[in-house]
Amino acid sequence: MALTPARTMPGVLELLPLDQIAFQRMLDTIRRNYERFGFLPIETPVIEYSDVLLTKTGGETERQVYFVQSTGALGAADKGDKPELALRFDLTVPLARYVAEHEHDLSFPFRRYQMQRVYRGERAQRGRFREFYQCDIDVIGKDSLSVRYDAEIPAVIYSVFRELDVGAFTIQLNNRKLMRGYFESLGVADSEQQTLVLREVDKLDKRGPGYVRETLTGENFGLSGDVADRILAFVQVRSATVADAFEKLDALGAGSEQFEQGRAELKEVLGLIRDFGVPETHFALNLSIARGLDYYTGTVYETTLNDHQGIGSVCSGGRYENLAGQYTKSHLPGVGISIGLTRLYWQLRDAGLIDTAQSTVDVLVTQMDAAQIPTYLAVATELRNAGIATEVVMDGGKLGKQFKYADRAGIRFAIVIGEDEIAKGVVTVKDLRREDQFEVARDALVKTLRVELAQAEVGR
Amino acid sequence: MALTPARTMPGVLELLPLDQIAFQRMLDTIRRNYERFGFLPIETPVIEYSDVLLTKTGGETERQVYFVQSTGALGAADKGDKPELALRFDLTVPLARYVAEHEHDLSFPFRRYQMQRVYRGERAQRGRFREFYQCDIDVIGKDSLSVRYDAEIPAVIYSVFRELDVGAFTIQLNNRKLMRGYFESLGVADSEQQTLVLREVDKLDKRGPGYVRETLTGENFGLSGDVADRILAFVQVRSATVADAFEKLDALGAGSEQFEQGRAELKEVLGLIRDFGVPETHFALNLSIARGLDYYTGTVYETTLNDHQGIGSVCSGGRYENLAGQYTKSHLPGVGISIGLTRLYWQLRDAGLIDTAQSTVDVLVTQMDAAQIPTYLAVATELRNAGIATEVVMDGGKLGKQFKYADRAGIRFAIVIGEDEIAKGVVTVKDLRREDQFEVARDALVKTLRVELAQAEVGR
């Protein structure tokens, strides 16, 4: 029989076990922090009805959707109908559908986290993923939701990224009302045009002020040089501390009602973030941040790694006016963020910030003598019952080969029990990391290894 | 704008948060036990190339596959071609592809666990799922793999199901070589016909001996009444203890080489399972078990809940001769099992064996006075830093309503800090489960709640 080449499609990240362990540790860290802040887990199906998924979108997103058909339904596509089912492309639309569908069984404010994979038919390109994890939190209010919740989100981001241990980072904030209000005061009164300007200034940190000024004064926008300069001055505002942020916000002068509302919200949020215990070194105003989606209506967030600005935002989100207007008449305002973990992991690994993990397997019980297998299994059971992950060599073979296997597989301790050890009531422990070995009384083995592993955990 | 009804397709299990927590606990328990036995995690993409996924199958499976097309590729289907991409329908084919693709980066025996969702276009029917979790372990050898590993698998099953706390269960074992060898000795020499007989006797526990005898002596099989009776006597063998199993296996008399090999394997495996520390009450011979798939070549397993036989097998698998022959010339024998967790969860809940979980949120810090929010946030940070999952009411409103929210959301402790408490340096803790409340010094709060929560954990 001819062999089929074993391969995956481009744009998916498939990891070897020790890398998968590192990835899983990140997922666990994020989950632990989300739970610590009182967010509840949900999971939604990967496949949704196309009409449910594609109510709002169109444009870019719709061109990237994966449609799904069971074998029986394949014929139907010949008629040119759009298939009935599709894979989710984010977790926000499924959240909206979930909240609308289960509204009467949920308590509000509804605080959910969701960490699942999403699918986009992106062009194949380095660093673009067609399947990737999103790790989202959102707080959804019924009818209303205090702007104070907008301050909780950065507290969660801080807690997550501190534990992910990826170096210094800054949570950057802005407010869309402040931006729109400011543009309004400069004569950019049309909401559509404001949106276009928002999208341009969002490119400031990537493209630089020259590019943005040129675009704003160019044919499509036709703003005067003076207006463009004032927009550029506005969007270049950054703050160092909360006091500095307040000063810079005040220095913007009086403005429209929308502008004043945005300013008041930003000030309340900034003050509360500090009350949440987030150090002032870790959050700042950045008035160029707009986020691409129209969806956001107030506070917006981006998070950047101070020493790796090139990576871009590693965690973004914001406040929205109404989550699920396409499914329900209930008014459901909310605020949330998303971490695109697959891309983040890939970038951090690329930047040398993530190593291949040590194995989740702590101990390999080697096999010196097949007749002693019952002893080996009894030792393994003792270790496992103490929560120490243990593998037993069942196949046998040369001891040197068994050590080599442990070393290659990233297992730290290899245990040897031969005739000598049995006679003396001890076991030999080979520490493959320290390239050291020692004898320990059989009944002290669990305790000894527990201490060694706990020390290694602290030292990580 | 007309509303789109918020709904999911039939055959998916979407849970409310407290049920999701119960489900997640089961996933965590399974993962913890898989890791404890030294299995390594992998994850594979949901979407695979159709030609990779469908090399071996055909028949039932192929009729249930979900095909995937990105928007751009939709036109191509008009040509009647089968789409290039499909959703995985199990975790075994992706494992085979993974091992073949990454063979030179893996250490053998390769011990992997994988807990992901799979997709099958089943007819919509109560208890049938189109999206469901499989939780698999496999040990894959290169060139060879000792039959001793077949004894490790039941040890893992025992460990998992004991911790899942679903009542008494029995891991039932058989060996395909023993079965085929026995049929051979009765004149059923053709391998194809042996397979058909295997499939029939596998129905014994569901359909009863009368049905099976009728089929075997019927037109399609045409076996003599005597042969059918001997097959029925064989497949009705069950054991109570290991000694009993040895006796019953010996009582089968001498047989072909294949038969003797099967008997020797079963005996070695049964003895080793005992050495692994699995109580003899929890595993037994069941010579009717065959498993539907041709794939299995030696040991086969099923696990049933003693008090819920109707649920059928909750964990099945077996030994196979070659994992990935369709992708690589390497010979890769293995042994593994799968837990279909979505169905298991659904059945256990249906049987009243699983409750809705308590919330992952331990504490709700209520808001009596908005001016005290910095205090509330400081208390919450202390609790979170101590690993206590804490939600803070940011919106305000009547205290009674806040308690009601906590109660409905399944949060056990509500914390109240008003003027009185601040003056006295205490906080009031309302225990919503015990319907009790007490005051505690502010600096003793963390310790007190930790003790309460640890006690609750033990009592679970």
Side-chain angles (χ1 to χ4, degrees):
Chain A
M1 195 178 73
L3 295 180
T4 305
R7 68 210 193 282
T8 53
M9 70 171 185
V12 299
L13 186 70
E14 182 168 85
L15 303 173
L16 290 172
L18 298 191
D19 292 322
Q20 184 66 44
I21 291 167
F23 188 86
Q24 184 64 44
R25 291 238 163 92
M26 294 181 79
L27 276 174
D28 289 344
T29 298
I30 296 170
R31 171 146 79 108
R32 188 169 55 244
N33 279 282
Y34 284 174
E35 290 194 349
R36 204 174 275 169
F37 274 82
F39 289 85
L40 297 170
I42 71 165
E43 291 195 339
T44 64
V46 165
I47 305 175
E48 297 257 6
Y49 283 122
S50 308
D51 70 322
V52 169
L53 221 45
L54 298 171
T55 49
K56 258 194 175 174
T57 56
E60 185 67 7
T61 310
E62 189 146 356
R63 280 198 298 276
Q64 296 190 338
V65 167
Y66 281 111
F67 290 99
V68 174
Q69 289 170 292
S70 63
T71 315
L74 272 181
D78 293 341
K79 295 175 208 147
D81 291 344
K82 196 168 284 180
E84 199 191 1
L85 302 172
L87 300 184
R88 62 170 167 236
F89 51 84
D90 73 4
L91 300 179
T92 304
V93 175
L95 170 67
R97 195 267 309 146
Y98 182 97
V99 174
E101 186 173 345
H102 304 293
E103 196 177 330
H104 301 293
D105 295 311
L106 301 175
S107 304
F108 291 89
F110 176 53
R111 305 160 61 81
R112 85 89 171 76
Y113 76 84
Q114 187 171 359
M115 301 168 55
Q116 292 193 281
R117 295 175 181 216
V118 304
Y119 297 85
R120 290 185 196 171
E122 298 263 9
R123 268 174 304 131
Q125 196 180 327
R126 191 180 139 80
R128 290 261 181 185
F129 293 98
R130 292 174 173 173
E131 173 184 64
F132 57 97
Y133 268 98
Q134 287 196 327
C135 306
D136 284 22
I137 49 170
D138 286 87
V139 184
I140 314 294
K142 183 108 177 222
D143 301 323
S144 69
L145 183 77
S146 167
V147 72
R148 292 176 192 138
Y149 285 100
D150 296 20
E152 186 183 27
I153 300 292
V156 184
I157 300 175
Y158 170 68
S159 184
V160 166
F161 280 87
R162 188 184 46 171
E163 269 196 44
L164 283 179
D165 202 17
V166 292
F169 58 91
T170 309
I171 304 160
Q172 306 186 59
L173 291 101
N174 198 1
N175 187 299
R176 283 229 177 175
K177 289 174 194 161
L178 185 89
M179 296 182 94
R180 284 182 184 273
Y182 193 78
F183 300 159
E184 213 172 25
S185 70
L186 295 177
V188 185
D190 179 61
S191 165
E192 289 288 304
Q193 209 197 350
Q194 286 172 12
T195 303
L196 295 173
V197 175
L198 282 174
R199 283 198 193 140
E200 280 313 308
V201 301
D202 200 36
K203 297 173 188 161
L204 183 69
D205 286 351
K206 266 189 207 155
R207 302 285 185 92
Y211 171 86
V212 174
R213 190 180 191 283
E214 208 168 297
T215 311
L216 293 181
T217 55
E219 218 173 312
N220 287 332
F221 286 89
L223 300 181
S224 73
D226 178 51
V227 166
D229 286 338
R230 294 182 61 185
I231 289 179
L232 274 172
F234 172 86
V235 298
Q236 287 183 75
V237 170
R238 308 282 181 278
S239 69
T241 63
V242 171
D244 182 43
F246 275 46
E247 245 173 64
K248 282 176 173 153
L249 285 172
D250 288 340
L252 293 171
S256 69
E257 197 187 323
Q258 193 178 201
F259 176 85
E260 294 300 345
Q261 205 184 334
R263 175 153 59 188
E265 286 183 8
L266 260 182
K267 284 178 152 186
E268 182 165 8
V269 169
L270 288 164
L272 274 171
I273 295 175
R274 188 174 45 189
D275 292 337
F276 263 103
V278 181
E280 295 189 47
T281 44
H282 283 70
F283 64 103
L285 272 188
N286 177 344
L287 297 194
S288 78
I289 287 173
R291 305 297 308 146
L293 298 169
D294 279 347
Y295 184 62
Y296 296 116
T297 52
T299 313
V300 283
Y301 318 96
E302 287 194 352
T303 308
T304 48
L305 304 184
N306 297 3
D307 303 327
H308 300 272
Q309 295 290 340
I311 288 181
S313 178
V314 295
C315 173
S316 314
R319 155 75 66 153
Y320 40 87
E321 195 45 42
N322 196 11
L323 175 71
Q326 69 270 46
Y327 309 122
T328 173
K329 286 181 178 160
S330 298
H331 182 64
L332 301 166
V335 60
I337 42 128
S338 181
I339 301 173
L341 190 63
T342 301
R343 188 155 176 268
L344 177 60
Y345 167 84
W346 184 83
Q347 288 171 316
L348 293 175
R349 196 176 64 172
D350 211 42
L353 291 173
I354 293 181
D355 272 343
T356 289
Q358 282 150 25
S359 178
T360 41
V361 184
D362 301 312
V363 174
L364 181 75
V365 179
T366 61
Q367 185 184 124
M368 187 173 245
D369 176 3
Q372 292 301 333
I373 286 179
T375 306
Y376 302 147
L377 295 181
V379 168
T381 300
E382 276 172 42
L383 292 168
R384 287 169 184 149
N385 287 344
I388 297 170
T390 303
E391 178 180 341
V392 183
V393 176
M394 302 296 283
D395 249 330
K398 280 185 187 159
L399 213 50
K401 221 178 132 194
Q402 298 179 36
F403 291 145
K404 214 167 172 179
Y405 165 80
D407 196 36
R408 192 167 174 226
I411 303 171
R412 181 168 166 195
F413 295 107
I415 283 180
V416 183
I417 309 177
E419 263 178 46
D420 286 0
E421 282 85 0
I422 289 173
K424 288 160 68 183
V426 301
V427 308
T428 296
V429 178
K430 210 172 153 77
D431 185 335
L432 293 164
R433 191 162 331 139
R434 290 211 198 117
E435 300 183 349
D436 187 17
Q437 71 174 52
F438 56 90
E439 268 187 14
V440 56
R442 161 95 187 259
D443 56 11
L445 176 66
V446 164
K447 209 180 145 191
T448 305
L449 287 181
R450 265 188 162 168
V451 170
E452 291 281 351
L453 289 166
Q455 280 172 350
E457 193 61 29
V458 171
R460 276 203 329 137
Chain B
M1 197 179 75
L3 295 179
T4 306
R7 68 209 193 284
T8 52
M9 72 171 186
V12 300
L13 186 69
E14 181 167 85
L15 302 173
L16 290 170
L18 298 191
D19 292 322
Q20 185 66 46
I21 291 168
F23 188 86
Q24 185 63 46
R25 291 238 163 93
M26 293 181 79
L27 276 175
D28 290 344
T29 298
I30 295 170
R31 171 147 77 112
R32 189 170 54 246
N33 279 283
Y34 284 176
E35 289 193 350
R36 201 172 279 167
F37 274 83
F39 289 85
L40 297 170
I42 71 165
E43 291 194 341
T44 64
V46 165
I47 304 175
E48 298 258 6
Y49 282 122
S50 308
D51 70 321
V52 170
L53 221 45
L54 299 172
T55 47
K56 255 194 176 174
T57 56
E60 184 67 8
T61 310
E62 189 146 358
R63 280 198 298 278
Q64 296 189 339
V65 167
Y66 281 111
F67 290 98
V68 174
Q69 288 169 291
S70 63
T71 315
L74 273 182
D78 294 343
K79 296 177 207 143
D81 290 344
K82 196 167 284 180
E84 198 191 0
L85 302 171
L87 301 183
R88 64 170 165 234
F89 51 82
D90 73 3
L91 300 179
T92 303
V93 175
L95 170 66
R97 196 266 308 144
Y98 182 96
V99 175
E101 188 174 344
H102 304 294
E103 194 177 332
H104 301 293
D105 295 312
L106 300 175
S107 304
F108 291 88
F110 176 53
R111 303 161 63 81
R112 86 87 172 78
Y113 76 84
Q114 185 171 2
M115 300 168 57
Q116 291 193 283
R117 295 172 180 218
V118 304
Y119 298 84
R120 291 184 195 173
E122 297 263 9
R123 266 174 305 129
Q125 195 181 325
R126 193 181 137 79
R128 289 263 182 183
F129 293 97
R130 291 173 175 173
E131 174 184 63
F132 57 97
Y133 269 98
Q134 287 196 328
C135 307
D136 285 22
I137 47 170
D138 286 86
V139 184
I140 314 292
K142 184 108 176 224
D143 301 323
S144 69
L145 184 77
S146 165
V147 71
R148 292 176 192 139
Y149 284 101
D150 296 21
E152 186 183 29
I153 299 292
V156 184
I157 300 175
Y158 171 69
S159 184
V160 167
F161 280 86
R162 187 183 49 171
E163 269 196 45
L164 283 177
D165 202 17
V166 292
F169 58 91
T170 307
I171 304 159
Q172 304 185 61
L173 291 101
N174 198 2
N175 187 299
R176 281 227 180 177
K177 290 175 194 160
L178 185 89
M179 295 180 94
R180 284 184 185 271
Y182 194 78
F183 300 160
E184 213 173 25
S185 70
L186 297 176
V188 185
D190 179 61
S191 165
E192 288 289 304
Q193 209 197 350
Q194 286 172 10
T195 304
L196 295 173
V197 174
L198 282 174
R199 284 200 191 137
E200 279 314 307
V201 300
D202 200 36
K203 297 174 188 161
L204 182 69
D205 285 351
K206 267 189 206 153
R207 303 284 186 90
Y211 171 86
V212 174
R213 188 177 194 285
E214 209 168 297
T215 311
L216 292 181
T217 55
E219 216 173 313
N220 287 331
F221 287 88
L223 300 182
S224 73
D226 177 53
V227 166
D229 286 337
R230 291 181 63 185
I231 289 178
L232 274 171
F234 173 85
V235 298
Q236 286 184 78
V237 169
R238 307 284 180 278
S239 70
T241 62
V242 171
D244 183 43
F246 275 46
E247 244 174 64
K248 283 176 173 152
L249 285 172
D250 288 340
L252 293 171
S256 69
E257 196 188 325
Q258 191 175 204
F259 176 84
E260 294 300 345
Q261 202 184 338
R263 175 153 59 190
E265 285 183 9
L266 261 181
K267 283 179 155 184
E268 181 166 10
V269 169
L270 288 164
L272 274 170
I273 295 174
R274 190 174 47 189
D275 291 336
F276 263 103
V278 181
E280 295 188 47
T281 44
H282 284 70
F283 64 103
L285 271 188
N286 179 341
L287 296 194
S288 78
I289 289 173
R291 305 299 307 148
L293 298 170
D294 278 349
Y295 186 58
Y296 296 116
T297 51
T299 313
V300 284
Y301 317 97
E302 288 194 355
T303 308
T304 49
L305 304 183
N306 297 2
D307 303 328
H308 301 272
Q309 296 290 340
I311 288 179
S313 178
V314 295
C315 174
S316 314
R319 155 73 67 152
Y320 39 88
E321 194 45 42
N322 195 10
L323 175 71
Q326 70 270 48
Y327 308 122
T328 173
K329 286 180 178 166
S330 299
H331 182 63
L332 302 167
V335 60
I337 43 130
S338 181
I339 301 174
L341 189 63
T342 301
R343 185 152 178 269
L344 176 60
Y345 168 85
W346 183 84
Q347 288 171 316
L348 293 175
R349 195 174 69 171
D350 210 46
L353 292 173
I354 292 183
D355 272 344
T356 288
Q358 282 151 23
S359 179
T360 41
V361 185
D362 301 314
V363 174
L364 182 75
V365 179
T366 63
Q367 184 183 126
M368 188 175 244
D369 177 3
Q372 293 300 332
I373 286 179
T375 306
Y376 302 149
L377 295 181
V379 168
T381 300
E382 277 172 41
L383 292 168
R384 286 169 184 150
N385 287 344
I388 297 171
T390 303
E391 177 180 342
V392 182
V393 176
M394 302 296 284
D395 249 329
K398 283 185 183 157
L399 214 51
K401 222 179 128 192
Q402 296 179 36
F403 292 145
K404 217 166 167 180
Y405 164 81
D407 196 37
R408 194 170 170 224
I411 303 171
R412 180 168 166 195
F413 295 107
I415 282 179
V416 183
I417 308 176
E419 266 178 41
D420 287 1
E421 281 85 359
I422 289 173
K424 289 160 69 182
V426 301
V427 308
T428 296
V429 178
K430 211 171 149 79
D431 185 334
L432 293 163
R433 193 165 325 143
R434 288 209 198 121
E435 299 182 351
D436 188 16
Q437 70 174 49
F438 56 90
E439 269 185 15
V440 56
R442 163 95 187 260
D443 56 12
L445 176 65
V446 165
K447 206 177 147 192
T448 305
L449 288 181
R450 264 188 161 169
V451 170
E452 292 279 351
L453 289 165
Q455 280 172 350
E457 193 60 28
V458 171
R460 277 202 328 135

